[in-house]
Amino acid sequence: MKMNKKKILVGILFLVVMAVTNILTFMHGENIQDIGITLHVIATPKNDTNIQAYYKQINYKDEDFSANHLVNMAVTKEDGKKDYEINIPGDTAAIRINPSNAISDEIAFEKVYLSYKDDVIEEYSLSDEHYNAADRYYSWNVDFDKSAKVVTDARYLRNLIMKILVCLIIDLLLIITWVKLDKIAIIPKDIVSNRKLIGSLAKNDFKQKFAGSYLGTVWAFVQPIVTVLVYWFVFEKALNVGTQSTKAGIGIPFVLWLIAGLVPWFFFSEVLSSGTNCLIEYNYLVKKVVFKISTLPVVKAISSLFVHAFFIVFTIIIYSFYHYLPTLYTLQLIYYSFCMFVLSLGLIYAFSAIMVFFRDLSQIVNVLLQIGMWMTPIMWNMDAMANRIPGWAMTILKLNPMYYIVNGYRDALYNNVWFWERAGMTAYFWIITAIILLGGMAIFRKLQQHFADVL
């Protein structure tokens, strides 16, 4: 009877969470920054040249247009009169177009306007008041409120359906969690009751990785720093010209943008690589009846956190050196690190359990991490590639949960965007993460009784 009362109280708490989540989901609007709009330039090239389109976003700090916010489009004389479509962010506040060589007779501009799908947002005058005769370019301010309204109206039905689906999925997950609470709570209870042992094992695990080497744990920090420097040199110096299209639209020094993506990926890849093998590595503990083996994946995750905490501090120092000082938004690094920790934990619960019976999984995980690193916009700007990647492919790439994490680190460090401003992505991430975590723990519990026999 006592247990029933407790479950009823938990059920009431779940209902409150369900109601609050549903209300917040329906109240929150879209973040237009994540939605692309199209700049149309109807022109007739008289010679082979490039149309250069610069854009300035609402929260962009500099007064002048930046080469980092430039989209280049090659045009040829044979094209004739044509509508050149250029994708730009939805929160664009000003635009500028000109031929790349700034020679007035290279191309004849006839009409310029913005649209979202089939809806025209605003058309721009090609009169002298918008033309800079000295540098031969046109520039206009964009009515951001108008852009936001057109995009919102066009996506109203889609957004309504998406909100209903999100609420239904969240409600279903909460109901399943409440019904299966006794089974789901087994592993969390083991973690809480053995927290001191987990902390001790995590510290020992971190030290053991480099036992026997002269520099010891120093190698844990040297390798990621060298990796950052190598990627920075290759993309910024050695292949600078060849990588301009992948870096377009980045409004900060490339090394800062790169670090914000690599630091979370270092943690994620380290946890998955080491966590997948945790039961094999600690097989002597698995065979002990009194030891709670469900704590071993957590040991590996916490062990990797030591290095990650150092690199978060390292990143903040590097950003400060470039005059991007910490703000309240920077505190979100704690939130996004927690997000990544929970996501990683769910994966390694499943992977470590399967690894006991299928040893090839370790190699498969390593291959998937290599592919995943390039599918996540760590070293290339996804928004800048919007004109080259089909819309369906962009959607698939954004479904990667690490896209949310990497984008979140950049929001915390320099975009100055709160995580709740990206309500859609936040809801999606936590739904996927909850499914992965609950599924991973279920797989672990199901196979746990056979671990000792196989090992």
Side-chain angles (χ1 to χ4, degrees), residues 33-34 57 59-61 69 91 249-252 257 319 324 327 329 332 383 406-418 421-422:
Q33 181 181 356
D34 299 326
Q57 292 169 270
N59 62 350
Y60 194 58
K61 297 177 182 179
H69 285 171
D91 63 341
I250 300 173
I252 63 172
W257 189 85
Y319 267 74
Y324 286 84
T327 64
Y329 294 97
Q332 291 183 111
D383 294 331
V406 169
N407 205 41
Y409 270 63
R410 289 172 178 150
D411 283 345
L413 289 165
Y414 69 87
N415 279 334
N416 294 341
V417 177
W418 292 109
E421 293 181 56
R422 302 191 187 279

PDB file of all heavy atoms in Angstrom, residues 33-34 57 59-61 69 91 249-252 257 319 324 327 329 332 383 406-418 421-422:
ATOM      1  N   GLN A  33      16.380  32.209 -37.016  1.00  0.00           N
ATOM      2  CA  GLN A  33      17.795  32.102 -37.361  1.00  0.00           C
ATOM      3  C   GLN A  33      18.110  30.747 -37.994  1.00  0.00           C
ATOM      4  O   GLN A  33      19.018  30.627 -38.826  1.00  0.00           O
ATOM      5  CB  GLN A  33      18.662  32.292 -36.112  1.00  0.00           C
ATOM      6  CG  GLN A  33      20.160  32.214 -36.389  1.00  0.00           C
ATOM      7  CD  GLN A  33      20.974  32.381 -35.126  1.00  0.00           C
ATOM      8  OE1 GLN A  33      20.442  32.626 -34.059  1.00  0.00           O
ATOM      9  NE2 GLN A  33      22.283  32.242 -35.254  1.00  0.00           N
ATOM     10  N   ASP A  34      17.372  29.719 -37.614  1.00  0.00           N
ATOM     11  CA  ASP A  34      17.626  28.372 -38.114  1.00  0.00           C
ATOM     12  C   ASP A  34      16.930  28.087 -39.441  1.00  0.00           C
ATOM     13  O   ASP A  34      17.047  26.989 -39.977  1.00  0.00           O
ATOM     14  CB  ASP A  34      17.170  27.339 -37.081  1.00  0.00           C
ATOM     15  CG  ASP A  34      17.922  27.492 -35.765  1.00  0.00           C
ATOM     16  OD1 ASP A  34      19.106  27.847 -35.815  1.00  0.00           O
ATOM     17  OD2 ASP A  34      17.318  27.255 -34.705  1.00  0.00           O
ATOM     18  N   GLN A  57      23.583  39.635 -40.103  1.00  0.00           N
ATOM     19  CA  GLN A  57      22.513  39.118 -39.253  1.00  0.00           C
ATOM     20  C   GLN A  57      22.191  40.078 -38.108  1.00  0.00           C
ATOM     21  O   GLN A  57      22.986  40.963 -37.775  1.00  0.00           O
ATOM     22  CB  GLN A  57      22.894  37.742 -38.716  1.00  0.00           C
ATOM     23  CG  GLN A  57      22.933  36.675 -39.808  1.00  0.00           C
ATOM     24  CD  GLN A  57      23.556  35.377 -39.341  1.00  0.00           C
ATOM     25  OE1 GLN A  57      24.752  35.198 -39.453  1.00  0.00           O
ATOM     26  NE2 GLN A  57      22.743  34.473 -38.830  1.00  0.00           N
ATOM     27  N   ASN A  59      22.103  39.804 -34.875  1.00  0.00           N
ATOM     28  CA  ASN A  59      22.994  39.852 -33.712  1.00  0.00           C
ATOM     29  C   ASN A  59      24.469  39.994 -34.084  1.00  0.00           C
ATOM     30  O   ASN A  59      25.341  39.778 -33.268  1.00  0.00           O
ATOM     31  CB  ASN A  59      22.817  38.586 -32.852  1.00  0.00           C
ATOM     32  CG  ASN A  59      23.178  37.316 -33.608  1.00  0.00           C
ATOM     33  OD1 ASN A  59      23.382  37.363 -34.818  1.00  0.00           O
ATOM     34  ND2 ASN A  59      23.239  36.200 -32.909  1.00  0.00           N
ATOM     35  N   TYR A  60      24.736  40.337 -35.360  1.00  0.00           N
ATOM     36  CA  TYR A  60      26.125  40.462 -35.797  1.00  0.00           C
ATOM     37  C   TYR A  60      26.736  41.730 -35.205  1.00  0.00           C
ATOM     38  O   TYR A  60      26.143  42.805 -35.246  1.00  0.00           O
ATOM     39  CB  TYR A  60      26.187  40.493 -37.329  1.00  0.00           C
ATOM     40  CG  TYR A  60      27.568  40.284 -37.878  1.00  0.00           C
ATOM     41  CD1 TYR A  60      28.293  39.143 -37.574  1.00  0.00           C
ATOM     42  CD2 TYR A  60      28.160  41.236 -38.697  1.00  0.00           C
ATOM     43  CE1 TYR A  60      29.557  38.941 -38.068  1.00  0.00           C
ATOM     44  CE2 TYR A  60      29.426  41.044 -39.207  1.00  0.00           C
ATOM     45  CZ  TYR A  60      30.123  39.889 -38.888  1.00  0.00           C
ATOM     46  OH  TYR A  60      31.380  39.706 -39.382  1.00  0.00           O
ATOM     47  N   LYS A  61      27.951  41.613 -34.664  1.00  0.00           N
ATOM     48  CA  LYS A  61      28.542  42.711 -33.888  1.00  0.00           C
ATOM     49  C   LYS A  61      29.123  43.830 -34.757  1.00  0.00           C
ATOM     50  O   LYS A  61      28.993  45.005 -34.450  1.00  0.00           O
ATOM     51  CB  LYS A  61      29.642  42.160 -32.968  1.00  0.00           C
ATOM     52  CG  LYS A  61      29.139  41.179 -31.927  1.00  0.00           C
ATOM     53  CD  LYS A  61      30.280  40.624 -31.100  1.00  0.00           C
ATOM     54  CE  LYS A  61      29.774  39.604 -30.091  1.00  0.00           C
ATOM     55  NZ  LYS A  61      30.877  39.028 -29.290  1.00  0.00           N
ATOM     56  N   HIS A  69      30.620  36.391 -44.014  1.00  0.00           N
ATOM     57  CA  HIS A  69      29.199  36.286 -44.330  1.00  0.00           C
ATOM     58  C   HIS A  69      28.988  36.601 -45.803  1.00  0.00           C
ATOM     59  O   HIS A  69      28.217  37.481 -46.183  1.00  0.00           O
ATOM     60  CB  HIS A  69      28.386  37.239 -43.450  1.00  0.00           C
ATOM     61  CG  HIS A  69      28.239  36.760 -42.042  1.00  0.00           C
ATOM     62  ND1 HIS A  69      27.713  37.526 -41.041  1.00  0.00           N
ATOM     63  CD2 HIS A  69      28.545  35.576 -41.465  1.00  0.00           C
ATOM     64  CE1 HIS A  69      27.710  36.842 -39.912  1.00  0.00           C
ATOM     65  NE2 HIS A  69      28.221  35.654 -40.157  1.00  0.00           N
ATOM     66  N   ASP A  91      17.387  35.433 -40.169  1.00  0.00           N
ATOM     67  CA  ASP A  91      17.496  36.625 -39.323  1.00  0.00           C
ATOM     68  C   ASP A  91      18.419  37.680 -39.935  1.00  0.00           C
ATOM     69  O   ASP A  91      18.997  38.500 -39.230  1.00  0.00           O
ATOM     70  CB  ASP A  91      17.991  36.244 -37.926  1.00  0.00           C
ATOM     71  CG  ASP A  91      19.384  35.652 -37.943  1.00  0.00           C
ATOM     72  OD1 ASP A  91      19.834  35.200 -39.013  1.00  0.00           O
ATOM     73  OD2 ASP A  91      20.044  35.622 -36.880  1.00  0.00           O
ATOM     74  N   GLY A 249      30.206  32.277 -43.992  1.00  0.00           N
ATOM     75  CA  GLY A 249      29.159  32.518 -43.012  1.00  0.00           C
ATOM     76  C   GLY A 249      29.606  32.434 -41.572  1.00  0.00           C
ATOM     77  O   GLY A 249      28.819  32.651 -40.664  1.00  0.00           O
ATOM     78  N   ILE A 250      30.893  32.129 -41.340  1.00  0.00           N
ATOM     79  CA  ILE A 250      31.424  32.071 -39.975  1.00  0.00           C
ATOM     80  C   ILE A 250      31.890  33.465 -39.584  1.00  0.00           C
ATOM     81  O   ILE A 250      32.820  34.004 -40.185  1.00  0.00           O
ATOM     82  CB  ILE A 250      32.598  31.066 -39.875  1.00  0.00           C
ATOM     83  CG1 ILE A 250      32.113  29.664 -40.262  1.00  0.00           C
ATOM     84  CG2 ILE A 250      33.176  31.059 -38.472  1.00  0.00           C
ATOM     85  CD1 ILE A 250      33.224  28.642 -40.362  1.00  0.00           C
ATOM     86  N   GLY A 251      31.244  34.058 -38.603  1.00  0.00           N
ATOM     87  CA  GLY A 251      31.515  35.453 -38.262  1.00  0.00           C
ATOM     88  C   GLY A 251      32.581  35.655 -37.203  1.00  0.00           C
ATOM     89  O   GLY A 251      32.732  36.765 -36.691  1.00  0.00           O
ATOM     90  N   ILE A 252      33.322  34.614 -36.826  1.00  0.00           N
ATOM     91  CA  ILE A 252      34.390  34.732 -35.833  1.00  0.00           C
ATOM     92  C   ILE A 252      35.644  34.062 -36.386  1.00  0.00           C
ATOM     93  O   ILE A 252      35.565  33.345 -37.390  1.00  0.00           O
ATOM     94  CB  ILE A 252      33.990  34.069 -34.485  1.00  0.00           C
ATOM     95  CG1 ILE A 252      33.774  32.559 -34.673  1.00  0.00           C
ATOM     96  CG2 ILE A 252      32.749  34.718 -33.904  1.00  0.00           C
ATOM     97  CD1 ILE A 252      33.575  31.811 -33.376  1.00  0.00           C
ATOM     98  N   TRP A 257      35.753  28.954 -33.904  1.00  0.00           N
ATOM     99  CA  TRP A 257      34.609  28.172 -34.401  1.00  0.00           C
ATOM    100  C   TRP A 257      34.948  26.684 -34.380  1.00  0.00           C
ATOM    101  O   TRP A 257      34.119  25.844 -34.017  1.00  0.00           O
ATOM    102  CB  TRP A 257      34.293  28.637 -35.817  1.00  0.00           C
ATOM    103  CG  TRP A 257      33.028  28.096 -36.399  1.00  0.00           C
ATOM    104  CD1 TRP A 257      31.770  28.589 -36.239  1.00  0.00           C
ATOM    105  CD2 TRP A 257      32.900  26.940 -37.244  1.00  0.00           C
ATOM    106  NE1 TRP A 257      30.855  27.826 -36.937  1.00  0.00           N
ATOM    107  CE2 TRP A 257      31.531  26.813 -37.570  1.00  0.00           C
ATOM    108  CE3 TRP A 257      33.807  26.029 -37.772  1.00  0.00           C
ATOM    109  CZ2 TRP A 257      31.059  25.801 -38.387  1.00  0.00           C
ATOM    110  CZ3 TRP A 257      33.324  25.010 -38.583  1.00  0.00           C
ATOM    111  CH2 TRP A 257      31.977  24.901 -38.879  1.00  0.00           C
ATOM    112  N   TYR A 319      38.929  31.881 -26.071  1.00  0.00           N
ATOM    113  CA  TYR A 319      37.922  32.856 -26.518  1.00  0.00           C
ATOM    114  C   TYR A 319      38.184  34.230 -25.883  1.00  0.00           C
ATOM    115  O   TYR A 319      38.040  35.270 -26.540  1.00  0.00           O
ATOM    116  CB  TYR A 319      36.512  32.371 -26.159  1.00  0.00           C
ATOM    117  CG  TYR A 319      35.847  31.586 -27.265  1.00  0.00           C
ATOM    118  CD1 TYR A 319      36.243  30.281 -27.549  1.00  0.00           C
ATOM    119  CD2 TYR A 319      34.832  32.125 -28.033  1.00  0.00           C
ATOM    120  CE1 TYR A 319      35.641  29.541 -28.561  1.00  0.00           C
ATOM    121  CE2 TYR A 319      34.218  31.410 -29.035  1.00  0.00           C
ATOM    122  CZ  TYR A 319      34.636  30.115 -29.307  1.00  0.00           C
ATOM    123  OH  TYR A 319      34.041  29.395 -30.315  1.00  0.00           O
ATOM    124  N   TYR A 324      36.370  37.512 -26.746  1.00  0.00           N
ATOM    125  CA  TYR A 324      35.029  36.962 -26.548  1.00  0.00           C
ATOM    126  C   TYR A 324      34.947  36.501 -25.099  1.00  0.00           C
ATOM    127  O   TYR A 324      35.164  35.337 -24.776  1.00  0.00           O
ATOM    128  CB  TYR A 324      34.777  35.800 -27.509  1.00  0.00           C
ATOM    129  CG  TYR A 324      34.541  36.223 -28.940  1.00  0.00           C
ATOM    130  CD1 TYR A 324      35.615  36.463 -29.793  1.00  0.00           C
ATOM    131  CD2 TYR A 324      33.253  36.402 -29.432  1.00  0.00           C
ATOM    132  CE1 TYR A 324      35.411  36.860 -31.105  1.00  0.00           C
ATOM    133  CE2 TYR A 324      33.029  36.795 -30.747  1.00  0.00           C
ATOM    134  CZ  TYR A 324      34.122  37.021 -31.573  1.00  0.00           C
ATOM    135  OH  TYR A 324      33.914  37.421 -32.872  1.00  0.00           O
ATOM    136  N   THR A 327      30.076  35.218 -20.636  1.00  0.00           N
ATOM    137  CA  THR A 327      28.828  35.909 -20.277  1.00  0.00           C
ATOM    138  C   THR A 327      27.914  34.897 -19.590  1.00  0.00           C
ATOM    139  O   THR A 327      28.298  33.750 -19.360  1.00  0.00           O
ATOM    140  CB  THR A 327      28.130  36.463 -21.534  1.00  0.00           C
ATOM    141  OG1 THR A 327      27.758  35.353 -22.371  1.00  0.00           O
ATOM    142  CG2 THR A 327      29.052  37.394 -22.312  1.00  0.00           C
ATOM    143  N   TYR A 329      25.502  33.510 -20.955  1.00  0.00           N
ATOM    144  CA  TYR A 329      25.249  32.461 -21.934  1.00  0.00           C
ATOM    145  C   TYR A 329      26.273  31.330 -21.813  1.00  0.00           C
ATOM    146  O   TYR A 329      25.969  30.173 -22.104  1.00  0.00           O
ATOM    147  CB  TYR A 329      25.303  33.028 -23.358  1.00  0.00           C
ATOM    148  CG  TYR A 329      24.199  34.007 -23.673  1.00  0.00           C
ATOM    149  CD1 TYR A 329      24.411  35.385 -23.576  1.00  0.00           C
ATOM    150  CD2 TYR A 329      22.946  33.564 -24.074  1.00  0.00           C
ATOM    151  CE1 TYR A 329      23.395  36.287 -23.872  1.00  0.00           C
ATOM    152  CE2 TYR A 329      21.930  34.455 -24.368  1.00  0.00           C
ATOM    153  CZ  TYR A 329      22.159  35.821 -24.261  1.00  0.00           C
ATOM    154  OH  TYR A 329      21.154  36.705 -24.549  1.00  0.00           O
ATOM    155  N   GLN A 332      25.754  27.935 -20.157  1.00  0.00           N
ATOM    156  CA  GLN A 332      25.056  26.856 -20.858  1.00  0.00           C
ATOM    157  C   GLN A 332      25.993  25.709 -21.226  1.00  0.00           C
ATOM    158  O   GLN A 332      25.522  24.613 -21.561  1.00  0.00           O
ATOM    159  CB  GLN A 332      24.396  27.386 -22.136  1.00  0.00           C
ATOM    160  CG  GLN A 332      23.234  28.326 -21.883  1.00  0.00           C
ATOM    161  CD  GLN A 332      22.589  28.756 -23.180  1.00  0.00           C
ATOM    162  OE1 GLN A 332      21.451  28.383 -23.483  1.00  0.00           O
ATOM    163  NE2 GLN A 332      23.305  29.534 -23.977  1.00  0.00           N
ATOM    164  N   ASP A 383      25.321  25.817 -42.787  1.00  0.00           N
ATOM    165  CA  ASP A 383      24.503  26.864 -43.406  1.00  0.00           C
ATOM    166  C   ASP A 383      25.099  27.344 -44.719  1.00  0.00           C
ATOM    167  O   ASP A 383      24.383  27.686 -45.661  1.00  0.00           O
ATOM    168  CB  ASP A 383      24.342  28.053 -42.450  1.00  0.00           C
ATOM    169  CG  ASP A 383      23.549  27.683 -41.209  1.00  0.00           C
ATOM    170  OD1 ASP A 383      22.698  26.784 -41.307  1.00  0.00           O
ATOM    171  OD2 ASP A 383      23.795  28.271 -40.146  1.00  0.00           O
ATOM    172  N   VAL A 406      26.895  20.421 -30.659  1.00  0.00           N
ATOM    173  CA  VAL A 406      27.926  21.286 -31.253  1.00  0.00           C
ATOM    174  C   VAL A 406      27.378  22.691 -31.480  1.00  0.00           C
ATOM    175  O   VAL A 406      28.026  23.692 -31.161  1.00  0.00           O
ATOM    176  CB  VAL A 406      28.446  20.675 -32.572  1.00  0.00           C
ATOM    177  CG1 VAL A 406      29.316  21.670 -33.335  1.00  0.00           C
ATOM    178  CG2 VAL A 406      29.234  19.403 -32.294  1.00  0.00           C
ATOM    179  N   ASN A 407      26.165  22.765 -32.005  1.00  0.00           N
ATOM    180  CA  ASN A 407      25.527  24.065 -32.217  1.00  0.00           C
ATOM    181  C   ASN A 407      25.307  24.773 -30.885  1.00  0.00           C
ATOM    182  O   ASN A 407      25.443  26.001 -30.780  1.00  0.00           O
ATOM    183  CB  ASN A 407      24.194  23.861 -32.935  1.00  0.00           C
ATOM    184  CG  ASN A 407      23.765  25.089 -33.711  1.00  0.00           C
ATOM    185  OD1 ASN A 407      24.579  25.735 -34.357  1.00  0.00           O
ATOM    186  ND2 ASN A 407      22.491  25.410 -33.658  1.00  0.00           N
ATOM    187  N   GLY A 408      24.990  23.988 -29.847  1.00  0.00           N
ATOM    188  CA  GLY A 408      24.768  24.553 -28.518  1.00  0.00           C
ATOM    189  C   GLY A 408      26.030  25.139 -27.915  1.00  0.00           C
ATOM    190  O   GLY A 408      25.992  26.200 -27.272  1.00  0.00           O
ATOM    191  N   TYR A 409      27.167  24.466 -28.099  1.00  0.00           N
ATOM    192  CA  TYR A 409      28.437  25.015 -27.607  1.00  0.00           C
ATOM    193  C   TYR A 409      28.726  26.359 -28.283  1.00  0.00           C
ATOM    194  O   TYR A 409      29.206  27.306 -27.640  1.00  0.00           O
ATOM    195  CB  TYR A 409      29.576  24.031 -27.888  1.00  0.00           C
ATOM    196  CG  TYR A 409      29.803  23.038 -26.766  1.00  0.00           C
ATOM    197  CD1 TYR A 409      28.823  22.123 -26.413  1.00  0.00           C
ATOM    198  CD2 TYR A 409      30.981  23.023 -26.050  1.00  0.00           C
ATOM    199  CE1 TYR A 409      29.005  21.214 -25.388  1.00  0.00           C
ATOM    200  CE2 TYR A 409      31.189  22.124 -25.015  1.00  0.00           C
ATOM    201  CZ  TYR A 409      30.197  21.217 -24.683  1.00  0.00           C
ATOM    202  OH  TYR A 409      30.390  20.331 -23.656  1.00  0.00           O
ATOM    203  N   ARG A 410      28.437  26.454 -29.556  1.00  0.00           N
ATOM    204  CA  ARG A 410      28.668  27.724 -30.271  1.00  0.00           C
ATOM    205  C   ARG A 410      27.676  28.799 -29.822  1.00  0.00           C
ATOM    206  O   ARG A 410      28.031  29.971 -29.726  1.00  0.00           O
ATOM    207  CB  ARG A 410      28.581  27.477 -31.782  1.00  0.00           C
ATOM    208  CG  ARG A 410      29.786  26.682 -32.285  1.00  0.00           C
ATOM    209  CD  ARG A 410      29.669  26.248 -33.719  1.00  0.00           C
ATOM    210  NE  ARG A 410      30.902  25.541 -34.102  1.00  0.00           N
ATOM    211  CZ  ARG A 410      30.967  24.581 -35.004  1.00  0.00           C
ATOM    212  NH1 ARG A 410      29.874  24.205 -35.639  1.00  0.00           N
ATOM    213  NH2 ARG A 410      32.122  23.999 -35.283  1.00  0.00           N
ATOM    214  N   ASP A 411      26.441  28.388 -29.526  1.00  0.00           N
ATOM    215  CA  ASP A 411      25.462  29.343 -28.985  1.00  0.00           C
ATOM    216  C   ASP A 411      25.928  29.893 -27.643  1.00  0.00           C
ATOM    217  O   ASP A 411      25.765  31.080 -27.347  1.00  0.00           O
ATOM    218  CB  ASP A 411      24.106  28.662 -28.804  1.00  0.00           C
ATOM    219  CG  ASP A 411      23.365  28.486 -30.117  1.00  0.00           C
ATOM    220  OD1 ASP A 411      23.751  29.126 -31.108  1.00  0.00           O
ATOM    221  OD2 ASP A 411      22.406  27.691 -30.152  1.00  0.00           O
ATOM    222  N   ALA A 412      26.510  29.023 -26.818  1.00  0.00           N
ATOM    223  CA  ALA A 412      26.945  29.423 -25.477  1.00  0.00           C
ATOM    224  C   ALA A 412      28.186  30.308 -25.529  1.00  0.00           C
ATOM    225  O   ALA A 412      28.327  31.228 -24.721  1.00  0.00           O
ATOM    226  CB  ALA A 412      27.239  28.185 -24.633  1.00  0.00           C
ATOM    227  N   LEU A 413      29.066  30.058 -26.485  1.00  0.00           N
ATOM    228  CA  LEU A 413      30.357  30.749 -26.518  1.00  0.00           C
ATOM    229  C   LEU A 413      30.327  32.069 -27.273  1.00  0.00           C
ATOM    230  O   LEU A 413      31.026  33.011 -26.906  1.00  0.00           O
ATOM    231  CB  LEU A 413      31.422  29.836 -27.117  1.00  0.00           C
ATOM    232  CG  LEU A 413      31.842  28.656 -26.218  1.00  0.00           C
ATOM    233  CD1 LEU A 413      32.594  27.619 -27.022  1.00  0.00           C
ATOM    234  CD2 LEU A 413      32.687  29.145 -25.047  1.00  0.00           C
ATOM    235  N   TYR A 414      29.535  32.154 -28.368  1.00  0.00           N
ATOM    236  CA  TYR A 414      29.564  33.423 -29.110  1.00  0.00           C
ATOM    237  C   TYR A 414      28.249  33.817 -29.784  1.00  0.00           C
ATOM    238  O   TYR A 414      28.028  34.998 -30.051  1.00  0.00           O
ATOM    239  CB  TYR A 414      30.681  33.404 -30.173  1.00  0.00           C
ATOM    240  CG  TYR A 414      30.447  32.459 -31.319  1.00  0.00           C
ATOM    241  CD1 TYR A 414      29.735  32.844 -32.447  1.00  0.00           C
ATOM    242  CD2 TYR A 414      30.960  31.170 -31.294  1.00  0.00           C
ATOM    243  CE1 TYR A 414      29.535  31.975 -33.505  1.00  0.00           C
ATOM    244  CE2 TYR A 414      30.770  30.295 -32.340  1.00  0.00           C
ATOM    245  CZ  TYR A 414      30.051  30.710 -33.447  1.00  0.00           C
ATOM    246  OH  TYR A 414      29.850  29.839 -34.482  1.00  0.00           O
ATOM    247  N   ASN A 415      27.344  32.869 -30.055  1.00  0.00           N
ATOM    248  CA  ASN A 415      26.078  33.250 -30.687  1.00  0.00           C
ATOM    249  C   ASN A 415      25.126  33.944 -29.727  1.00  0.00           C
ATOM    250  O   ASN A 415      24.216  34.664 -30.151  1.00  0.00           O
ATOM    251  CB  ASN A 415      25.374  32.017 -31.268  1.00  0.00           C
ATOM    252  CG  ASN A 415      25.928  31.628 -32.618  1.00  0.00           C
ATOM    253  OD1 ASN A 415      26.467  32.463 -33.340  1.00  0.00           O
ATOM    254  ND2 ASN A 415      25.809  30.360 -32.969  1.00  0.00           N
ATOM    255  N   ASN A 416      25.338  33.688 -28.410  1.00  0.00           N
ATOM    256  CA  ASN A 416      24.483  34.279 -27.375  1.00  0.00           C
ATOM    257  C   ASN A 416      23.001  33.945 -27.578  1.00  0.00           C
ATOM    258  O   ASN A 416      22.145  34.823 -27.654  1.00  0.00           O
ATOM    259  CB  ASN A 416      24.683  35.801 -27.319  1.00  0.00           C
ATOM    260  CG  ASN A 416      26.075  36.177 -26.847  1.00  0.00           C
ATOM    261  OD1 ASN A 416      26.775  35.370 -26.234  1.00  0.00           O
ATOM    262  ND2 ASN A 416      26.499  37.386 -27.134  1.00  0.00           N
ATOM    263  N   VAL A 417      22.739  32.652 -27.670  1.00  0.00           N
ATOM    264  CA  VAL A 417      21.371  32.153 -27.825  1.00  0.00           C
ATOM    265  C   VAL A 417      21.106  31.150 -26.711  1.00  0.00           C
ATOM    266  O   VAL A 417      21.897  30.238 -26.485  1.00  0.00           O
ATOM    267  CB  VAL A 417      21.173  31.469 -29.201  1.00  0.00           C
ATOM    268  CG1 VAL A 417      19.767  30.890 -29.308  1.00  0.00           C
ATOM    269  CG2 VAL A 417      21.434  32.451 -30.331  1.00  0.00           C
ATOM    270  N   TRP A 418      19.997  31.325 -25.987  1.00  0.00           N
ATOM    271  CA  TRP A 418      19.626  30.386 -24.923  1.00  0.00           C
ATOM    272  C   TRP A 418      19.069  29.120 -25.531  1.00  0.00           C
ATOM    273  O   TRP A 418      18.447  29.148 -26.599  1.00  0.00           O
ATOM    274  CB  TRP A 418      18.600  31.000 -23.986  1.00  0.00           C
ATOM    275  CG  TRP A 418      19.120  32.134 -23.155  1.00  0.00           C
ATOM    276  CD1 TRP A 418      18.816  33.455 -23.296  1.00  0.00           C
ATOM    277  CD2 TRP A 418      20.050  32.044 -22.063  1.00  0.00           C
ATOM    278  NE1 TRP A 418      19.488  34.201 -22.363  1.00  0.00           N
ATOM    279  CE2 TRP A 418      20.261  33.366 -21.585  1.00  0.00           C
ATOM    280  CE3 TRP A 418      20.725  30.984 -21.455  1.00  0.00           C
ATOM    281  CZ2 TRP A 418      21.102  33.648 -20.532  1.00  0.00           C
ATOM    282  CZ3 TRP A 418      21.571  31.268 -20.391  1.00  0.00           C
ATOM    283  CH2 TRP A 418      21.755  32.573 -19.936  1.00  0.00           C
ATOM    284  N   GLU A 421      15.489  28.964 -26.620  1.00  0.00           N
ATOM    285  CA  GLU A 421      15.120  29.671 -27.842  1.00  0.00           C
ATOM    286  C   GLU A 421      15.097  28.720 -29.038  1.00  0.00           C
ATOM    287  O   GLU A 421      14.521  29.043 -30.078  1.00  0.00           O
ATOM    288  CB  GLU A 421      16.085  30.824 -28.105  1.00  0.00           C
ATOM    289  CG  GLU A 421      16.009  31.944 -27.073  1.00  0.00           C
ATOM    290  CD  GLU A 421      16.961  33.076 -27.386  1.00  0.00           C
ATOM    291  OE1 GLU A 421      16.870  33.633 -28.499  1.00  0.00           O
ATOM    292  OE2 GLU A 421      17.809  33.410 -26.532  1.00  0.00           O
ATOM    293  N   ARG A 422      15.739  27.583 -28.890  1.00  0.00           N
ATOM    294  CA  ARG A 422      15.704  26.545 -29.932  1.00  0.00           C
ATOM    295  C   ARG A 422      14.813  25.410 -29.406  1.00  0.00           C
ATOM    296  O   ARG A 422      15.256  24.281 -29.232  1.00  0.00           O
ATOM    297  CB  ARG A 422      17.108  26.054 -30.240  1.00  0.00           C
ATOM    298  CG  ARG A 422      18.065  27.153 -30.699  1.00  0.00           C
ATOM    299  CD  ARG A 422      19.340  26.576 -31.245  1.00  0.00           C
ATOM    300  NE  ARG A 422      20.346  27.582 -31.535  1.00  0.00           N
ATOM    301  CZ  ARG A 422      20.383  28.327 -32.628  1.00  0.00           C
ATOM    302  NH1 ARG A 422      19.440  28.169 -33.550  1.00  0.00           N
ATOM    303  NH2 ARG A 422      21.332  29.220 -32.818  1.00  0.00           N
TER     304      ARG A 422
END
